[in-house]
Amino acid sequence: MGQVGKPRRVHTYDGELGAAVARAQEGDEAAFAVAYRIVQPGLLGYLRGIVGDDAEDVASDAWLEIARDLGRFKGDGAGFRGWTATIARHRALDHLRRQKVRPRSTATEQDVLDLASAHSTHDEALEAISTEHALELVRGLPREQAEAVLLRVVVGLDGSAAARVLGKRPGAVRTAAYRGLKRLAEQLGVEGVTDDGPRTLGESK
């Protein structure tokens, strides 16, 4: 199923993440490193979808803030994932304001052709999101849709957590994510997309 199952696989680490965060809050630097290793891949993918090549720098700024404010965090592993995404989003938006640019797609027509799939399912679009080329395509979506897709599929947040990060209602975020995935599927040449939005996001509710 490729990326469809990713949020659930991400969630399997949330118990370990919550325990690591709790130890890190007590001053355990090794535990903080564990939390970083669990969260960073998804966070970096999310940032790449917003700021492109500047993602590493923005992530570094975000982690400095995360480390500084760690003592104020209250919650479990899933909560920490959402909290770090919120901080990263603020840093990304600050970065974009400083650069006076908006996220934009730099993908070429050949990039789209390279990602085109012969399988007529939404799964292929989801799988492709893990590639650098597809992250560029995601950046070309309307901001609301791009962020919803990135938070749901790349970071692995559920609808409620993604909604808190974006300051929106869960239903609105699920709709934006589905529309973004549908548009991405169309760009990738994926056919047969249906209106079974929640299931395409790897959730049953």
Side-chain angles (χ1 to χ4, degrees):
M1 295 291 289
Q3 297 291 319
V4 170
K6 186 170 183 176
R8 285 178 181 153
R9 290 201 299 273
V10 166
H11 294 164
T12 64
Y13 293 104
D14 281 345
E16 179 185 354
L17 176 58
V21 170
R23 293 197 306 274
Q25 288 179 312
E26 296 172 354
D28 187 334
E29 293 183 4
F32 185 81
V34 169
Y36 173 87
R37 285 196 298 272
I38 293 174
V39 172
Q40 174 69 352
L43 205 64
L44 194 58
Y46 171 55
L47 290 172
R48 280 181 181 141
I50 301 177
V51 300
D53 293 340
D54 294 328
E56 293 275 2
D57 290 340
V58 174
S60 294
D61 289 342
W63 279 105
L64 286 173
E65 183 174 342
I66 291 165
R68 184 192 70 198
D69 295 342
L70 185 62
R72 289 191 279 179
F73 169 74
K74 293 181 181 179
D76 56 10
F80 184 75
R81 200 181 296 281
W83 182 66
T84 56
T86 298
I87 290 174
R89 181 174 190 263
H90 289 162
R91 296 286 70 76
L93 295 180
D94 287 344
H95 175 80
L96 292 174
R97 279 192 289 268
R98 286 195 302 271
Q99 298 296 318
K100 295 183 180 179
V101 297
R102 297 178 59 218
R104 62 187 184 279
S105 173
T106 56
T108 64
E109 184 176 334
Q110 187 59 46
D111 290 334
V112 178
L113 293 175
D114 289 343
L115 286 168
S117 168
H119 298 284
S120 58
T121 69
H122 227 153
D123 296 359
E124 297 302 318
L126 288 167
E127 286 178 12
I129 289 175
S130 65
T131 71
E132 291 294 328
H133 287 170
L135 284 173
E136 292 293 338
L137 292 181
V138 172
R139 291 181 69 203
L141 294 173
R143 168 73 70 81
E144 180 180 89
Q145 294 178 16
E147 288 204 70
V149 168
L150 291 164
L151 288 171
R152 298 299 311 280
V153 181
V154 179
V155 180
L157 300 184
D158 62 22
S160 297
R164 285 193 294 273
V165 172
L166 297 174
K168 297 180 181 296
R169 291 178 292 104
V173 173
R174 279 192 287 269
T175 298
Y178 173 67
R179 288 175 178 169
L181 287 171
K182 185 174 182 179
R183 181 176 295 199
L184 181 62
E186 290 168 353
Q187 290 178 323
L188 297 174
V190 178
E191 300 174 353
V193 177
T194 61
D195 291 328
D196 56 351
R199 287 197 296 277
T200 67
L201 296 173
E203 64 177 14
S204 58
K205 59 183 178 180

